[in-house]
Amino acid sequence: MASTKDWFETVAEAQRRARRRLPKSVYYALVAGAEQGITLTDNVAAFDELGFRPHIADLPQQREQTTSVLGQEIDFPVVISPTGVQAVDPEGEVAVARAAASSNIQNPLNPEQTVSTAMGLSSFASRSVEDVCAVHDRVFFQVYWAGSRDDVLARAMRAKAAGAKALIVTLDWTFATRRDWGSPPIPEKMDLRAMMQFAPEVVTKPRYLLDWARTGKLPDLTTPNMAPPGTDDAPTFFGAYGQWWTSPLPTWEDIAWLREQWGGPFMVKGIMHPDDARRAVDAGASAVSVSNHGGNNLDGTPASIRALPAIADAVGDQIEVLQDGGVRRGADVVKALSLGARACLIGRAYLWGMAAQGERGVSNVLSIMYKGIDEALLGLGKASIHELSRDDLIIPESFARSSKP
């Protein structure tokens, strides 16, 4: 099926449409990477180095994709990654949650077929955890170590009360804002001064302007999930960010304490070294996310898919291992699963979908992922994602870019 006005065939097409619709600064905030963008680029390029070993004839008539992540059943091995303030669409994370809860997979043989998956929600989100949990029952709430132990725990417990099923703690960030190509200007808040500053960008994007005008609101740059308990005093994104980077850095003892206090499924996000994966196991984590923060942490770090095999070997028989970074198609997901991941997290891909077509665009991206996984399973002769192994891939000797296993 070729792309149409209301549907796109690839994530690359979603990105092109997002670029056409969004003001320049908003779009560049979505594609940003630290410093030279070495890691950002490698996150995508590394998948191209992996080849498949396909089979022909006696192929399975049906392919199974269901799995579970952090205690939640999902229809296919793709989970929405938590991302910060989403000013790309007026409904923000609520639209994403509805798409994750039930997306039409554009199956010409079964137009009513839908799939659903879990959603990670950032503590820096533009919509509250209560709003998101009201439309989706499989939300994983993500926290940064911002403020005191009590501050972090209060956010987590608020999320649990709202219905969040698991907690994600993100630990990878060096607070480097440098971009060799220049960081996009982002206002502290959308006041008259900011509107005047960004008016030249916005007036050239009439669809974006109209979408927001219909709501009677301006893009919300506050973080409601960071409000102190019992108040509506939500800080701006930069206020929340400032609290984060001025807080004392957490220890593994802090992580173990939070895991015990939370008392449920618990993921540590940002793992790129087997030693850290082992420490996460020792801290009681249920899962780890192999992630370099989408290329926004320490530039020069290899792609997360390169680090995945060693981490899966180290802890994959003890906890769930997820991969996050560079996933643009279903075939990428199959490669990650073949290397030991239980599922993949996607970030930019669904944000481009939302920018291109709102909630329907997010569903479109999830449909692309689902169908791409199914096609790769068929080509490999696998009846289930659980049959995948490294034997299904052609892996260059230098792929891991490490002298150590």
Side-chain angles (χ1 to χ4, degrees):
M1 180 187 295
S3 296
T4 67
K5 177 183 177 182
D6 297 322
W7 188 84
F8 42 84
E9 276 196 309
T10 67
V11 170
E13 175 63 17
Q15 183 180 1
R16 286 190 288 270
R17 295 187 187 193
R19 186 166 191 168
R20 287 198 300 267
R21 176 177 173 266
L22 295 177
K24 181 179 179 181
S25 295
V26 179
Y27 174 75
Y28 276 110
L30 296 186
V31 298
E35 301 200 350
Q36 288 181 263
I38 295 171
T39 300
L40 174 70
T41 300
D42 195 42
N43 267 352
V44 177
F47 280 101
D48 296 340
E49 296 179 22
L50 296 169
F52 285 124
R53 299 181 187 274
H55 288 283
I56 59 171
D58 290 332
L59 302 179
Q61 296 297 325
Q62 302 292 329
R63 279 79 58 192
E64 177 61 52
Q65 296 191 37
T66 58
T67 190
S68 64
V69 172
L70 292 168
Q72 300 301 305
E73 296 295 321
I74 54 178
D75 290 336
F76 63 121
V78 174
V79 175
I80 297 294
S81 188
T83 61
V85 174
Q86 295 177 5
V88 299
D89 183 85
E91 291 194 290
E93 294 84 0
V94 170
V96 177
R98 285 199 298 260
S102 181
S103 286
N104 188 301
I105 66 168
Q106 300 290 332
N107 183 347
L109 300 177
N110 184 1
E112 302 303 318
Q113 185 178 0
T114 61
V115 292
S116 64
T117 189
M119 174 184 177
L121 177 69
S122 175
S123 54
F124 286 3
S126 62
R127 299 296 296 268
S128 72
V129 64
E130 291 82 7
D131 286 348
V132 173
C133 287
V135 299
H136 193 14
D137 62 357
R138 283 162 293 164
V139 173
F140 305 153
F141 187 68
Q142 177 268 344
V143 294
Y144 296 105
W145 200 269
S148 67
R149 277 188 171 189
D150 289 342
D151 293 331
V152 177
L153 182 60
R155 292 181 203 112
M157 292 300 108
R158 172 186 169 183
K160 178 175 280 191
K165 298 299 193 295
L167 189 67
I168 301 173
V169 182
T170 301
L171 298 183
D172 60 323
W173 194 259
T174 56
F175 304 100
T177 59
R178 295 173 297 279
R179 310 282 189 267
D180 283 15
W181 47 268
S183 296
I186 301 174
E188 174 73 18
K189 59 182 178 179
M190 288 304 296
D191 52 16
L192 180 60
R193 179 178 179 181
M195 287 189 285
M196 294 289 289
Q197 178 185 354
F198 287 90
E201 289 187 27
V202 177
V203 296
T204 64
K205 305 294 182 179
R207 185 179 157 205
Y208 180 83
L209 180 60
L210 180 61
D211 286 345
W212 281 98
R214 285 171 176 160
T215 70
K217 298 184 295 184
L218 295 171
D220 191 353
L221 301 180
T222 60
T223 56
N225 298 313
M226 293 291 290
T231 76
D232 294 323
D233 188 19
T236 65
F237 173 80
F238 286 106
Y241 186 89
Q243 182 183 3
W244 176 28
W245 74 264
T246 57
S247 298
L249 296 173
T251 65
W252 282 112
E253 182 181 350
D254 289 325
I255 302 305
W257 169 83
L258 182 60
R259 165 66 180 90
E260 183 177 357
Q261 296 298 312
W262 170 256
F266 185 97
M267 178 192 291
V268 176
K269 188 172 184 291
I271 301 291
M272 286 294 292
H273 196 293
D275 286 351
D276 286 336
R278 296 182 186 99
R279 296 299 298 270
V281 171
D282 293 342
S286 314
V288 293
S289 171
V290 182
S291 171
N292 50 41
H293 218 112
N296 278 287
N297 187 26
L298 181 62
D299 199 29
T301 301
S304 55
I305 191 69
R306 298 189 193 279
L308 173 61
I311 292 171
D313 288 344
V315 300
D317 60 343
Q318 301 172 71
I319 58 173
E320 298 172 8
V321 177
L322 281 77
Q323 190 272 337
D324 181 6
V327 175
R328 301 291 184 267
R329 50 187 56 85
D332 295 340
V333 177
V334 170
K335 289 174 180 179
L337 268 58
S338 299
L339 292 178
R342 176 179 287 257
C344 288
L345 294 152
I346 60 169
R348 289 183 177 92
Y350 80 81
L351 290 173
W352 290 328
M354 182 162 63
Q357 209 76 30
E359 178 185 338
R360 184 167 52 183
V362 179
S363 293
N364 197 153
V365 166
L366 295 176
S367 171
I368 289 168
M369 295 291 173
Y370 183 89
K371 291 192 294 183
I373 294 167
D374 184 69
E375 291 159 2
L377 289 175
L378 176 61
L380 293 170
K382 302 295 182 181
S384 168
I385 58 171
H386 304 290
E387 297 176 3
L388 293 166
S389 72
R390 293 178 196 178
D391 289 340
D392 295 308
L393 300 181
I394 301 169
I395 308 171
E397 290 185 9
S398 60
F399 182 73
R401 293 189 177 177
S402 173
S403 60
K404 296 181 179 180

